[in-house]
Structure formats: structure tokens, C-alpha cells
Amino acid sequence: MSMKTRVSAYTLSVALFCSTGAMAQQMKAEVLHWWTSAGESASVKVFADQFTKAGGTWVDNAIAGGANARTAGINRMVGGNPPTMMQFNTGKQFDELVSNGLVRDVDAIAKAGKWREIMPKPIVDATVREGKFYAVPVNIHGQNWMFYNTKVFADAGLEVPKTFPELVATGEKLKAKGIIPIALGGQPNWEHNLFRAVLVGHGGADMFRKLYGARDPQIAKDPKFKESVELFGKMRALVDPGSPGRNWNDATALVITNKAAMHFNGDWAKGEFIAAGQTAGKEYGCTVVGQEPKLQIGGDVFVFPATKDKSQLAVQDKLIEVMLDPTTQIEFNKKKGSIPVRMDVDVSSMDVCAQKSHAILSDPANQVESMEILSTPNFSGAMQDAVTQYWNNPSMSADAFMEKVTNAMRDAT
Amino acid sequence: METISIRAPSVAPSGTKTRRSMRTRLPAAIALLPTALVVLVVYIGCMLWTVRLSFTSSTLLPKLDWVGLAQYNRLFVNDRFVTSAENIVIFGILFISGCLIIGFLLAVFIDQNVRGEGLFRTVFLYPYSMSFVVTGVAWQWFLNPGLGLQKLVRDLGFESFTFDWLVNQKMAIYTIVIAGLWHGSGLTMAIMLAGLRGIDKDLWKAARVDGIPTWRVYTSVVIPLLRPMIVTAVVLLATGVVKLYDLVVAMTLGGPGIATEVPAKFVMDHLFERNNIALGTAAATMMLITVVIVLAPWVYARYIRAEGRRA
């Protein structure tokens, strides 16, 4: 409802604004995305407003749920009636659209804008196919942040753990004091998210790439991998019994309300803290656990369905220009919880978590591709099945889990 | 059965009669044409398309190559699919038999001319008006050890009370059955009650004259008379079993672990989230084959043998 009202308000204002020229008809952009939660729609509104200022008409086509939105968009592209631009997650989701010639090559604009120099390499690699940019990255999300409640740690007289063995030890002390050490949304994808945080934090970036990218079965013989799996297994005792089935935002709420100490999540969870009126660095802190702060990064991109229509191409060019403008980037990412995809913008106006994220990523050695970039949805799904079985069955050994992982490597497409 | 007896007279032909029946049948045929087309193109067509895709290596987009039974081989070594298949059998048996028993008992209870019958009928039927999603979320809250029943009883002073089926891998599927029973028993009751009301009062009088105990009348007279109602209820409940998806998604999301996965969810996940159309359609085809195997003997007994006897 509100979305509709807003769309018509935009349309109306722009129509009035541009009524003198023929621009209104030509600069119409239909944008398909799945940013429907409060924080997300506030962030997409930044794009819409900037595009409207630049003389365009933004037709908002928001579809709740990533999978639903992608299915709808892909069906429209295959059916020959595509939107002007469409959202994807950074990674393999649009591979087949590229190989079927359904999306536009934007490499000329990328070269002019020096994207290869100003964006982190994992993001560039995830967007470039056969040497050409086929999508426009708009932000960077870090997926393995640990949010913690500063008050809970201060009251317990404990330090915030820096590595995973430390975290397990600290967790047991917290549990003894009657605090939930780790707030977890006990749904398969969040269990999997936690596993990846442990793997990249304890096993390291290469091991992470070997598992999700190269699918190297030798990894099962690596003692460091087994150690990571066992550490992850020990964390089963650090969540509360009510965890299975819980939504991630309810898990975040446990940290916000001082019931739990730590919570692993992507930086999008910041939205929940902000909505509760808390400030990063004050009531809650954020850190990346591990010897070195390896951050799994992903994010969102927009693809532009291929078209021969000159006016549509011009609209697409304008959209790219608007979205990557430094001011738009800062404003958009403040609302979204992510950080600008361009490393050359000044982030001093953003919160401490975003600044930390920017600082970590300034060293290319800390940039690790997220699972969505490295792995096919099918292998990710098979891994998720294995992880959730291991997590929920305390009697399953690390070896049994590793066998499932090897099977998943073999069977998944 | 009914259709056969209606058709019987018109089969006896004389020239004019056939023409007249042609004239009356033509509009009927035209009226049915769109439905027939929908059935042919949408149902049968999509079914064949699904089966065909299950023999391909399609991932995000359909691709028409041929990989033989490779997808089926992968399907049967997939832990999740095997668990799904077991779960649907457990759910199917407990849900259908449970609904029939509870529904029948509720119907008998209401049929005793209790005061406030209308109220009871509404209360018992009310869950059916809820969507599975609402049912699932409500039961998730109710059975959550930290929020619902367990916490309530513990707060009342019974500290050792434990009811954690929802978060227990071995028992979680039974919580889905409980929610399903809560949802489906009312409808079964309504169907059974309609049947009970249709039973001739004289039968009861005759039984009373003969001094037959009430329970005996129910088991030997009433239940056989209710057979059509039971069949209707079973068919309705069985469709609910096959398409079980939203209840699981709302209540457990297939968890803890993969303990409450069901085939429909396997198909949906692989088609739309895991970019694996081929494996998803292979699972869908297995579901179709299972339904056909279950239905075939019944269709044979009911229509084909019956037809044969008549001729």
C-alpha cells in the first residue's frame, strides 16, 4: 500500500516537474528489487530520490523475498518484458542470464569510471564475466560480524573474545553466570552463517575458498579444518534451548535486551540495533573474530536487461551514474547498513562499525569472497543441509560431518 | 458410480433420440471445453513437462538435454530427500487416522443433542478457517519451550515439566502432526456430522428394541453407513498430506536440522532457491508416482472393475 502511494507520488511529482519536455516518457525506469523491510526501503528511496532529482521517473517494483523477486524478474526477462534494472546478490545468481545473452555488458562505463581500481577485487571478480562487467555493484555487506552487548561483558568482567577458542572459553563462563552466550536464529541458513564465521575466522581465508570455491576434498584431511568443525560443534552448548526455529531478528533482540552476550550476523543486523535506539560503540559493539580479521564480503548488484532501445540505454546509463555517485553511495549505505562499494569515498560520517569495516577491507588480504560469490546455490544448499544436521545432532561427530561435506562436494551441481 | 447410471439410458439409441441428445449435449460440450483445455494443457501438459525436465541437467533455466536417471540416483542418496519421504509417511498415517478418529468422536459428541451445539460446532470447525501459516506460527509459539506450554507449566510450579518436542529432532515431526490435527479435525467432524444426521432414526429405534448396546450400533451399523463420508474425508485429508509445505515452513522451517523436511519443501527449495530445476522436478515426479501407486488400486476397483462387470 505505502509502496504504491509512494510510487504514484513520485510519478506525479516527476510528471509535473517534467511536463514541459518529453523527458518524462523517456527517462522512466522500472526497478525490480526485494528491499521491502523498513531499513531497506528507506535505502532504496535514496536511489529513487537521486534519480528523480536527475530528471528521471522511478517506478518501484518491490517484491518481498529474494527468491520470489528473482524468479519474477527472470521470468520477465526470459519472456521478453524485462524491467529497466533488476537486483541480484553479488555472485553467481545471474550467471546463466549472462551466458544466455539476456543482460547488458556495461564494461565501457566501468572502464570510464575505473571500477576495477576503486572496488575491492572480490567484488569486481564476482561481477565480471569473461573480462567484462555485466552488473553494477552498489554496496558491500560483511557477513561474519560478531555483535556483542558491551554492558553484559562489563558486568561479567570478561573481555570480548578475539579468537574462537577464546570465544568458547568465554562463552562457558557467561553461561555459568546465567547469560545466553550466543544468540542464534536456529534456522538452517543462520546455523550455516555461524559455521562460515568459524571456518573463515579459525581456518583462514584459503580454507574457506578451498571448501566453497574449489571444493577440494583434501580439506577433510586438514587438521585445522577438523579443529574448526569441532569448535563449531562446541558452540552448540552455548546457545539457549529456544534457539531452533527462531528468526534472526529475534536473536538480535536477545542481545539488545541484555539477555544474550554475542550474536553472529551480517552487518544488516545493525538495523535492529538502530531501530531499538542503540548506538554502535556504546550499547553494542561489533568485531570480526579470528586471528586476523577476515571479512566475508558480498552485497547487491543491479543487472540491466539487454535492450536495443536507445532511450532505454540512456536511462540505464543515468541509473548507473546516479547509484555510484559518492554522495548517493554514502547516504544509501548509511540506511542499508552496508558500506560503499567504492573504497575511494570518505566514510568518516558513517558509524564506527562501518568505519571498522572500511578499515578492515582497506587491506586486500582481509577481503574474502562470500559463499554466494564462491559457490553455486546448489552446493551452498547441500552444505547447509550438512551443517544443520551436524549442529542439531550433538552426538554427530566431526568425522561424520566431514563425510557429509565430501558427499556434498561430489553430488551437488 | 452415479455418472454411470445416468449415462445408461441414453446409450439405448434410436435415430431421433441421438440427434436430440446431440443437440442438448453440444452446448454442454462447449461450456466444458475451456475446462477440458485447462486440464489438458495446464495439468497434464505441465505434468509431462515436469517429468521431462527430471531427465535433464537443468539448473537455473530449463535445458532440454538428456542425462537419463542421473537425477534420480542423486535423489535417493540425498539424506534430506530420504528423511522427507519418511516424514511424509509418518505424517500421512498419523494425520489421516488421527483426524478421522478425533473428527468422528467429536461428531458423535455433538450428535448427542448437547446444549449449545452451534457453539461447539463453530469452535471445532474454527481452526479450519485459519491458513496453515497462521496455524504453524501459533503452534510454534505455543510449543516453544521458552515461551509457551513448557514455560507456563513451569511458572505454575512444576519445575521439572518438560515438553520440548518442537526443538527435539526425534519428536519435532509429531508437533507438525499435532498442529495438523488441530487444523483438520474440525472439517472431518463437519463431514461426519452431516453423515450422522443423515442416518435413519428408525435404525436407532430398531436397535434399541433389539437391546443392542450403543457402541455396537456405532461400530457395526453407523460406521459402515458413513463409508461415503469417510471416503470424502480421506480424499480431502490426503490432498493436504501431499501438499504439506506451508505448515512446516511456518512452524519449523524443516528443522531442527532436517528433522521435519517434507517432499514438497524439497521440491520448492530446489526449484526456486537452489537453482536445481532437474533435481526438484525429479523429486516432484517421485511424488506423482507415489500418488499414482496409492490411487491406482482404488481407481481400478472403483471404476475399471465396476465398468467391466456392467458390460
Side-chain angles (χ1 to χ4, degrees), chain B residues 199-258:
Chain B
I199 286 172
D200 197 340
K201 292 272 183 294
D202 291 342
L203 276 175
W204 281 104
K205 284 180 194 152
R208 211 163 295 146
V209 170
D210 289 343
I212 301 167
T214 316
W215 66 269
R216 195 64 217 274
V217 184
Y218 273 116
T219 53
S220 303
V221 180
V222 174
I223 290 183
L225 282 173
L226 283 182
R227 205 170 148 250
M229 307 298 156
I230 295 173
V231 171
T232 311
V234 169
V235 170
L236 286 177
L237 295 171
T239 57
V241 171
V242 176
K243 66 184 184 193
L244 177 66
Y245 171 76
D246 31 10
L247 183 60
V248 173
V249 169
M251 218 168 136
T252 63
L253 215 72
I258 54 166

Side-chain angles (χ1 to χ4, degrees), chain B residues 57-69:
Chain B
S57 63
S58 308
T59 49
L60 174 67
L61 303 173
K63 186 160 63 173
L64 285 179
D65 56 352
W66 183 268
V67 297
L69 290 171

Side-chain angles (χ1 to χ4, degrees), chain A residues 200-213:
Chain A
V200 82
H202 193 73
D206 282 340
M207 182 175 291
F208 188 85
R209 292 195 184 103
K210 261 189 212 162
L211 174 59
Y212 287 99

Side-chain angles (χ1 to χ4, degrees), chain A residues 67 71 74 78 93 96 100 187-188 241-242 244-245 377-378 381-382 384-385 388-389 392-393 404 411-413, chain B residues 59-61 74 77-80 140 144-146 166-167 169 252-253 256-258 270 272-276 279:
Chain A
T71 309
I74 290 168
V78 173
Q93 283 167 354
E96 288 188 44
N100 283 286
Q187 296 173 353
N378 199 255
Q384 177 177 306
D385 288 346
T388 187
Q389 280 173 280
N392 285 286
N393 184 359
K404 282 191 193 298
D411 292 330
T413 47
Chain B
T59 49
L60 174 67
L61 303 173
R74 284 169 57 198
V77 295
N78 189 314
D79 287 340
R80 199 176 138 182
Q140 187 199 29
N144 184 305
L166 187 71
V167 296
Q169 283 212 303
T252 63
L253 215 72
I258 54 166
H270 282 80
F272 298 113
E273 266 171 34
R274 299 192 174 179
N275 291 4
N276 199 342
L279 195 66

Side-chain angles (χ1 to χ4, degrees), chain A residues 296-323:
Chain A
Q296 293 166 43
I297 52 174
D300 301 283
V301 299
F302 278 97
V303 302
F304 295 85
T307 173
K308 290 209 173 67
D309 182 345
K310 283 239 169 58
S311 65
Q312 274 292 301
L313 288 171
V315 175
Q316 294 181 340
D317 291 351
K318 194 78 198 167
L319 282 166
I320 298 173
E321 186 194 317
V322 165
M323 288 193 301

Side-chain angles (χ1 to χ4, degrees), chain B:
Chain B
M1 287 290 263
E2 281 71 22
T3 46
I4 292 166
S5 55
I6 290 165
R7 211 166 58 201
S10 66
V11 175
S14 87
T16 51
K17 253 189 194 163
T18 319
R19 223 172 294 139
R20 197 179 304 143
S21 69
M22 272 293 284
R23 217 175 295 144
T24 53
R25 270 184 195 181
L26 191 66
I30 292 172
L32 281 176
L33 195 65
T35 320
L37 276 178
V38 167
V39 167
L40 273 178
V41 176
V42 179
Y43 294 144
I44 311 274
C46 288
M47 230 181 256
L48 293 175
W49 178 240
T50 301
V51 174
R52 173 69 185 88
L53 283 180
S54 73
F55 292 105
T56 67
S57 63
S58 308
T59 49
L60 174 67
L61 303 173
K63 186 160 63 173
L64 285 179
D65 56 352
W66 183 268
V67 297
L69 290 171
Q71 303 295 350
Y72 293 87
N73 288 336
R74 284 169 57 198
L75 196 60
F76 286 110
V77 295
N78 189 314
D79 287 340
R80 199 176 138 182
F81 184 73
V82 175
T83 312
S84 302
E86 287 165 7
N87 281 343
I88 203 71
V89 172
I90 296 175
F91 179 84
I93 293 174
L94 292 180
F95 174 70
I96 294 180
S97 55
C99 275
L100 287 178
I101 294 168
I102 297 174
F104 178 72
L105 291 178
L106 288 177
V108 169
F109 163 68
I110 285 186
D111 198 36
Q112 307 305 312
N113 292 322
V114 289
R115 202 176 297 166
E117 183 197 312
L119 176 72
F120 282 116
R121 230 172 23 201
T122 314
V123 168
F124 294 145
L125 194 55
Y126 203 73
Y128 193 72
S129 68
M130 304 278 166
S131 73
F132 265 137
V133 172
V134 176
T135 308
V137 172
W139 277 90
Q140 187 199 29
W141 288 339
F142 183 63
L143 295 177
N144 184 305
L147 290 174
L149 184 65
Q150 177 176 312
K151 185 172 187 300
L152 179 78
V153 178
R154 283 190 182 180
D155 288 352
L156 288 175
F158 303 92
E159 288 295 332
S160 61
F161 178 82
T162 304
F163 190 77
D164 62 350
W165 285 14
L166 187 71
V167 296
N168 178 332
Q169 283 212 303
K170 292 203 180 66
M171 305 308 284
I173 185 67
Y174 300 106
T175 62
I176 307 267
V177 175
I178 293 174
L181 287 178
W182 180 80
H183 187 263
S185 296
L187 175 77
T188 322
M189 175 211 73
I191 295 170
M192 298 284 194
L193 188 60
L196 287 176
R197 291 284 148 87
I199 286 172
D200 197 340
K201 292 272 183 294
D202 291 342
L203 276 175
W204 281 104
K205 284 180 194 152
R208 211 163 295 146
V209 170
D210 289 343
I212 301 167
T214 316
W215 66 269
R216 195 64 217 274
V217 184
Y218 273 116
T219 53
S220 303
V221 180
V222 174
I223 290 183
L225 282 173
L226 283 182
R227 205 170 148 250
M229 307 298 156
I230 295 173
V231 171
T232 311
V234 169
V235 170
L236 286 177
L237 295 171
T239 57
V241 171
V242 176
K243 66 184 184 193
L244 177 66
Y245 171 76
D246 31 10
L247 183 60
V248 173
V249 169
M251 218 168 136
T252 63
L253 215 72
I258 54 166
T260 54
E261 291 290 346
V262 288
K265 185 163 176 291
F266 185 95
V267 174
M268 290 293 284
D269 284 357
H270 282 80
L271 285 185
F272 298 113
E273 266 171 34
R274 299 192 174 179
N275 291 4
N276 199 342
I277 291 182
L279 195 66
T281 48
T285 308
M286 285 315 300
M287 287 173 72
L288 176 69
I289 291 174
T290 315
V291 170
V292 169
I293 290 176
V294 171
L295 283 185
W298 180 71
V299 170
Y300 176 76
R302 195 112 186 144
Y303 295 105
I304 299 173
R305 246 179 53 202
E307 192 104 357
R309 259 207 308 271
R310 219 170 284 267

Side-chain angles (χ1 to χ4, degrees), chain A residues 110-129:
Chain A
K111 285 217 175 80
K114 299 201 170 67
W115 294 2
R116 284 179 178 80
E117 284 143 54
I118 58 173
M119 295 178 186
K121 193 166 174 296
I123 301 285
V124 172
D125 289 347
T127 324
V128 168
R129 300 285 181 279

